[in-house]
Amino acid sequence: MTRPSARHVLPEFTDRTASGHRTTDPYARLLEERIVVLGTRIDETAANDVTAQLMYLEHHSPDRDISLYVNSPGGPFHAMSALHDALTYVTCDVETVCLGRAEGTAALLLAAGTPGKRYVLPGSRLVLRQPALPEPVEGRASDLAVQADELNRIRVRTEEMLARHTGRPVQRVREDLERDTVLDARAAVDYGLADRIVPHHRAARPATGAR
């Protein structure tokens, strides 16, 4: 599994075991505690990596919560949609936590966490943003019409998903997506993207991994 890269060289931890020594990195340590980190742009690779971790943790302990920490500028709708479906497919409750930023599709992913277990840290910055094509589109008029129809379909789907997860009317969400809507932690909670602001881990819930 390709792990997200926090720096050029990740620090390693060496533990003494009965059979000798074991060396791990921070992401492996976090996975042992059922913590998954999405700290990159959401693309196909990131979606597959996080999905694999969610599926592994569900298989290992289907009755224990998973914590998904989000610090992402977002990314293509299709990559986010695959991860969103995985997040809602697993039987475990998935606690989502924003630290840093959750922009565009990353904000939608944060909102898709288990109701009552969606958190933002005080310094979080969330941005609601309408979908856009990943690169300039060129081609015949018929090809451009197909791309326009697809972009409109994605826009409608994004509005429906945000409305479902936030409890806001679709028309209100549609208006908010007409331009970038920047939200601080309090505004994100008021909007329905998260349930609580948590200043530290102990304020979230008693123990990670417990129902």
Side-chain angles (χ1 to χ4, degrees), residues 18 75 79 91 144 149 168:
T91 57
L144 296 178
D149 288 343
R168 297 210 164 224

Side-chain angles (χ1 to χ4, degrees), residues 133-138 144:
L133 295 175
E135 56 188 24
V137 178
E138 298 179 356
L144 296 178

Side-chain angles (χ1 to χ4, degrees), residues 131-162:
L133 295 175
E135 56 188 24
V137 178
E138 298 179 356
R140 297 168 298 183
S142 57
D143 295 330
L144 296 178
V146 170
Q147 292 293 329
D149 288 343
E150 173 64 5
L151 184 59
N152 184 64
R153 186 192 71 81
I154 292 174
R155 169 71 182 261
V156 171
R157 179 73 175 131
T158 298
E159 293 167 355
E160 292 173 346
M161 293 168 74
L162 274 171

Side-chain angles (χ1 to χ4, degrees), residues 76-88:
F77 175 86
H78 294 297
M80 181 282 301
S81 181
L83 184 48
H84 172 277
D85 288 349
L87 189 152
T88 56

Side-chain angles (χ1 to χ4, degrees), residues 28 145 175:
E175 293 171 358

Side-chain angles (χ1 to χ4, degrees), residues 2 7 28 100 119 142 167 194 204 206:
T2 302
R7 58 185 71 187
Y119 307 120
S142 57

Side-chain angles (χ1 to χ4, degrees), residues 87-166:
L87 189 152
T88 56
Y89 173 79
V90 296
T91 57
C92 312
D93 283 1
V94 180
E95 167 192 276
T96 52
V97 184
C98 177
L99 68 167
R101 61 175 173 165
E103 301 182 8
T105 53
L108 200 162
L109 194 64
L110 178 81
T114 300
K117 299 181 179 181
R118 306 171 305 166
Y119 307 120
V120 288
L121 271 63
S124 299
R125 178 181 185 271
L126 292 86
V127 181
L128 298 180
R129 178 176 296 136
Q130 63 178 291
L133 295 175
E135 56 188 24
V137 178
E138 298 179 356
R140 297 168 298 183
S142 57
D143 295 330
L144 296 178
V146 170
Q147 292 293 329
D149 288 343
E150 173 64 5
L151 184 59
N152 184 64
R153 186 192 71 81
I154 292 174
R155 169 71 182 261
V156 171
R157 179 73 175 131
T158 298
E159 293 167 355
E160 292 173 346
M161 293 168 74
L162 274 171
R164 181 170 74 253
H165 291 309
T166 64

Side-chain angles (χ1 to χ4, degrees):
M1 182 188 305
T2 302
R3 299 189 182 94
S5 176
R7 58 185 71 187
H8 293 296
V9 179
L10 284 172
E12 294 184 337
F13 305 102
T14 301
D15 297 322
R16 180 175 297 175
T17 66
S19 58
H21 294 82
R22 182 187 67 159
T23 300
T24 58
D25 61 52
Y27 290 106
R29 283 289 187 89
L30 290 172
L31 193 63
E32 292 176 357
E33 299 299 324
R34 302 181 67 79
I35 295 173
V36 179
V37 178
L38 174 60
T40 65
R41 182 174 183 270
I42 302 174
D43 56 16
E44 299 297 338
T45 299
N48 288 337
D49 286 349
V50 173
T51 295
Q53 293 176 78
L54 294 177
M55 295 296 187
Y56 166 78
L57 292 173
E58 180 200 28
H59 177 75
H60 189 266
S61 298
D63 59 343
R64 295 179 61 201
D65 288 9
I66 299 171
S67 296
L68 175 62
Y69 284 77
V70 179
N71 179 24
S72 171
F77 175 86
H78 294 297
M80 181 282 301
S81 181
L83 184 48
H84 172 277
D85 288 349
L87 189 152
T88 56
Y89 173 79
V90 296
T91 57
C92 312
D93 283 1
V94 180
E95 167 192 276
T96 52
V97 184
C98 177
L99 68 167
R101 61 175 173 165
E103 301 182 8
T105 53
L108 200 162
L109 194 64
L110 178 81
T114 300
K117 299 181 179 181
R118 306 171 305 166
Y119 307 120
V120 288
L121 271 63
S124 299
R125 178 181 185 271
L126 292 86
V127 181
L128 298 180
R129 178 176 296 136
Q130 63 178 291
L133 295 175
E135 56 188 24
V137 178
E138 298 179 356
R140 297 168 298 183
S142 57
D143 295 330
L144 296 178
V146 170
Q147 292 293 329
D149 288 343
E150 173 64 5
L151 184 59
N152 184 64
R153 186 192 71 81
I154 292 174
R155 169 71 182 261
V156 171
R157 179 73 175 131
T158 298
E159 293 167 355
E160 292 173 346
M161 293 168 74
L162 274 171
R164 181 170 74 253
H165 291 309
T166 64
R168 297 210 164 224
V170 172
Q171 181 58 38
R172 171 63 189 276
V173 172
R174 182 175 300 121
E175 293 171 358
D176 292 336
L177 289 179
E178 285 299 322
R179 75 287 182 199
D180 282 6
T181 300
V182 181
L183 307 170
D184 61 13
R186 173 48 57 192
V189 172
D190 292 342
Y191 197 91
L193 294 169
D195 300 304
R196 289 174 55 197
I197 300 173
V198 290
H200 47 71
H201 189 260
R202 291 189 303 276
R205 52 193 177 88
T208 298
R211 279 284 191 183

